[in-house]
Amino acid sequence: MAESGAEGDLHQRRPGAKEQHNGQPIESVLSVDERKQRDREERQNLVLWRKPLLTLHYFFLELLITIKEWICRLWQQRQTAFGLLVLFILLSIAYRIEGTHQKYVRYMEKKVLWCAYWVGLGVLSSVGLGTGLHTFLLYLGPHIASVTLAAYECGSVDFPEPPYPDQIICPQEGVAGSVSLWTIISKVRLEACMWGAGTAIGELPPYFMARAARLSGADPDDEDYQEFEEMLDQAESAQDFATKAKLAVQKLIQRVGFFGILACASIPNPLFDLAGITCGHFLVPFWTFFGATLIGKAVIKMHIQKLFVIITFSKHIVEQMVSLIGVVPVLGAALQKPFREYLQAQKAKLHHRGGEGIPNEENWLSWLFEKIVVIMVCFFVCSIVNSMAQSYAKRKQQEKYAEGKME
């Protein structure tokens, strides 16, 4: 009864009632394209800020269905799952037993958790969960920037290996020599490559979905794939720039193969989301697609992004940027002061010694950045809830039309 009432709310009519047009159901009058457009508009209205209760209701129902599907898949692969469970138990035993091996266990635990953290952020940045979380801007970029500023201030990169403590601290012993661009790149290479690998993993779901649809001949429940097929059908008559750009990427990947995928993955490319669907649709081998994507994103693209951040936050560039802020009319002097105070506070934190206590002066810039991070994370969570609720609404719409055909 709850689902029936919710469905009635979604279609804005009482449960069980059918809209009529000249004595016929609306579904029989509307064309296929008109029906799809109407259904899409209804689903787009299913968001937390318009229909919070219905959206949450559909979200939890879709979540239960998703959990059930994953349990069924896990049961189908029960031998592999059992092997992984046994391995996990053995590792847990080795982790808890005291002995000389514990120093190696702790080292591996530290490295694995650190790598998993960045891989997870990379996956969140590219996987199709409503809208991606911009983890490079929120986490990896600021991390590289803080290491760069610390390296120039300390004159060394011999501060602790990642994962760092609460604050990066300059080594107490003076270190001769200057900091080079290459030493900073080497210092942040692990986390940057792990993040890039995570973004490559996040491109796999569209590939598998499109490949399965092409092999089975079934129409997948995915609007991006349907738009991709419509784009292929209208390839000759395409006029707008966006469609032409997507077609150019699709043709490059289809004709050049590995090196085409590598080229698209190696540069910041907002159209790369199409690559997974294209490769899956044209049955490009898995390792050709994933290998090129992994090399492009985790090696080539990440070094380009690292270089950009490191050069931007090098000591002389930062000082010039702060000086240029003062040139801004009217607001320049007012903005320059908090930026200088923020940089001085960060430098002070790098030089404190054990037992002195870490300077903890609040700056409005750091406060603002923290609030922006919280807002973006909340928006990301809301987008996941909306996306899953709309997926459940689409299930209900398809079930309704399937029942109508049976009748």
Side-chain angles (χ1 to χ4, degrees), residues 124-392:
L124 290 177
S125 179
S126 62
V127 75
L129 292 174
T131 181
L133 181 64
H134 301 290
T135 52
F136 182 84
L137 295 176
L138 295 178
Y139 297 99
L140 183 58
H143 170 71
I144 297 174
S146 65
V147 172
T148 302
L149 293 173
Y152 282 109
E153 179 64 22
C154 300
S156 167
V157 292
D158 290 336
F159 34 83
E161 288 292 321
Y164 303 114
D166 293 337
Q167 298 292 332
I168 299 175
I169 304 172
C170 290
Q172 295 185 12
E173 300 82 8
V175 181
S178 59
V179 175
S180 67
L181 190 66
W182 182 252
T183 56
I184 302 175
I185 290 175
S186 301
K187 187 69 174 178
V188 296
R189 180 178 289 118
L190 176 65
E191 42 267 51
C193 290
M194 290 298 103
W195 184 88
T199 62
I201 294 171
E203 301 291 349
L204 292 180
Y207 169 84
F208 286 121
M209 176 272 300
R211 183 180 178 86
R214 182 66 183 273
L215 291 173
S216 64
D219 185 21
D221 183 19
D222 187 89
E223 292 182 0
D224 291 335
Y225 185 72
Q226 292 170 3
E227 290 178 3
F228 169 77
E229 289 188 322
E230 292 174 0
M231 183 188 71
L232 293 182
D233 293 337
Q234 301 171 359
E236 300 297 330
S237 60
Q239 297 294 330
D240 59 294
F241 176 78
T243 303
K244 288 181 178 179
K246 290 179 181 179
L247 286 169
V249 171
Q250 177 260 318
K251 289 177 180 178
L252 176 66
I253 292 171
Q254 185 182 358
R255 293 177 181 176
V256 185
F258 178 90
F259 293 101
I261 302 168
L262 181 64
C264 292
S266 299
I267 58 175
N269 181 7
L271 300 177
F272 190 78
D273 292 342
L274 193 66
I277 296 177
T278 301
C279 292
H281 179 80
F282 292 105
L283 303 180
V284 174
F286 170 77
W287 286 110
T288 300
F289 167 70
F290 185 65
T293 304
L294 185 64
I295 295 171
K297 286 183 173 287
V299 180
I300 302 174
K301 181 183 175 183
M302 277 317 306
H303 276 81
I304 295 172
Q305 291 177 299
K306 275 192 297 182
L307 279 171
F308 175 79
V309 175
I310 292 170
I311 292 172
T312 302
F313 285 88
S314 59
K315 187 175 182 180
H316 63 285
I317 295 293
V318 170
E319 291 175 352
Q320 289 179 1
M321 290 172 60
V322 174
S323 299
L324 288 174
I325 291 174
V327 181
V328 177
V330 183
L331 298 176
L335 290 174
Q336 191 180 48
K337 182 180 178 181
F339 273 97
R340 287 194 184 279
E341 291 177 350
Y342 178 75
L343 289 175
Q344 291 172 358
Q346 298 307 307
K347 291 178 180 180
K349 291 179 181 179
L350 294 171
H351 291 291
H352 86 280
R353 296 290 181 263
E356 292 180 359
I358 300 175
N360 194 27
E361 294 181 4
E362 185 72 16
N363 182 279
W364 71 267
L365 287 175
S366 58
W367 178 88
L368 180 62
F369 181 76
E370 290 175 0
K371 298 304 178 285
I372 291 174
V373 171
V374 171
I375 291 171
M376 293 187 71
V377 170
C378 291
F379 179 76
F380 177 66
V381 172
C382 290
S383 71
I384 295 174
V385 174
N386 293 338
S387 179
M388 293 186 69
Q390 291 168 10
S391 296
Y392 183 80

Side-chain angles (χ1 to χ4, degrees), residues 24-167:
Q24 295 182 347
I26 285 291
E27 289 79 1
S28 63
V29 176
L30 294 175
S31 66
V32 175
D33 292 337
E34 289 173 338
R35 177 174 63 80
K36 287 183 178 180
Q37 180 63 27
R38 187 195 65 178
D39 291 345
R40 187 179 295 111
E41 290 174 356
E42 288 179 350
R43 292 196 303 272
Q44 289 174 350
N45 288 328
L46 192 63
V47 290
L48 284 170
W49 45 90
R50 290 183 179 176
K51 300 177 180 179
L53 296 179
L54 180 60
T55 302
L56 288 173
H57 177 65
Y58 276 15
F59 164 72
F60 285 114
L61 292 175
E62 180 68 13
L63 182 63
L64 291 175
I65 292 173
T66 303
I67 293 173
K68 181 180 177 181
E69 290 176 350
W70 277 102
I71 292 174
C72 292
R73 292 178 185 176
L74 194 63
W75 179 251
Q76 292 173 356
Q77 303 292 329
R78 51 187 175 276
Q79 293 181 346
T80 304
F82 180 74
L84 292 174
L85 180 62
V86 171
L87 178 62
F88 176 76
I89 293 173
L90 293 176
L91 291 174
S92 299
I93 293 173
Y95 180 80
R96 294 180 180 277
I97 294 177
E98 296 295 333
T100 56
H101 67 285
Q102 281 297 322
K103 62 179 181 180
Y104 304 105
V105 171
R106 301 299 178 188
Y107 175 81
M108 289 302 299
E109 177 191 21
K110 180 181 177 181
K111 286 292 183 182
V112 168
L113 291 177
W114 184 243
C115 292
Y117 172 75
W118 289 110
V119 170
L121 288 176
V123 171
L124 290 177
S125 179
S126 62
V127 75
L129 292 174
T131 181
L133 181 64
H134 301 290
T135 52
F136 182 84
L137 295 176
L138 295 178
Y139 297 99
L140 183 58
H143 170 71
I144 297 174
S146 65
V147 172
T148 302
L149 293 173
Y152 282 109
E153 179 64 22
C154 300
S156 167
V157 292
D158 290 336
F159 34 83
E161 288 292 321
Y164 303 114
D166 293 337
Q167 298 292 332

